[in-house]
C-alpha cells in the first residue's frame, strides 16, 4: 500500500477501529498525518483511537484539531 494512498489508509484505519484494533489504526494514521498533517478526518480518527485507548487528553487535542481544520464538521461539535 502506497503511503500516498491516503483515502485507502483512512478507510483501513476506520476498519481497524471498528474491529477493536486501535493500535493498528494509529499506525496507519501516523503515515497519513506524515503526508497530510492538515487532514481533519485523520485527526478525528486519531481522537477515536485515543478514546479507545483511554487517553482522553489526546482525544480532546485531536478532536479540537479536526474541528479547527474543518469547522463545518457538525459531528465534532457534539463530542
Amino acid at each position: 500500500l502506497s503511503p500516498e494512498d491516503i483515502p485507502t489508509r483512512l478507510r483501513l484505519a476506520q476498519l481497524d477501529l471498528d474491529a477493536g484494533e486501535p493500535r493498528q489504526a494509529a499506525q496507519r494514521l501516523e503515515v497519513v498525518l506524515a503526508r497530510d498533517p492538515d487532514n481533519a478526518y485523520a485527526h478525528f480518527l486519531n481522537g477515536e483511537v485515543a478514546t479507545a485507548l483511554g487517553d482522553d487528553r489526546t482525544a480532546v487535542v485531536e478532536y479540537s484539531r479536526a474541528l479547527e481544520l474543518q469547522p463545518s464538521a457538525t459531528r465534532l461539535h457534539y463530542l
Side-chain angles (χ1 to χ4, degrees):
L1 183 60
S2 168
E4 288 79 25
D5 193 351
I6 289 173
T8 299
R9 286 186 181 277
L10 289 171
R11 181 67 183 130
L12 289 171
Q14 180 66 64
L15 291 171
D16 290 334
L17 279 168
D18 293 346
E21 298 291 340
R23 293 185 196 288
Q24 178 64 38
Q27 291 175 355
R28 294 184 198 280
L29 293 168
E30 184 178 333
V31 173
V32 170
L33 288 169
R35 295 280 182 195
D36 185 6
D38 292 334
N39 188 303
Y41 187 56
H43 284 285
F44 168 76
L45 288 178
N46 252 351
E48 297 286 281
V49 165
T51 297
L53 295 173
D55 185 353
D56 295 335
R57 182 173 297 186
T58 299
V60 168
V61 169
E62 290 296 330
Y63 290 140
S64 296
R65 181 67 177 139
L67 190 55
E68 177 184 308
L69 292 167
Q70 191 174 350
S72 63
T74 55
R75 179 176 180 200
L76 295 174
H77 290 279
Y78 299 101
L79 293 175

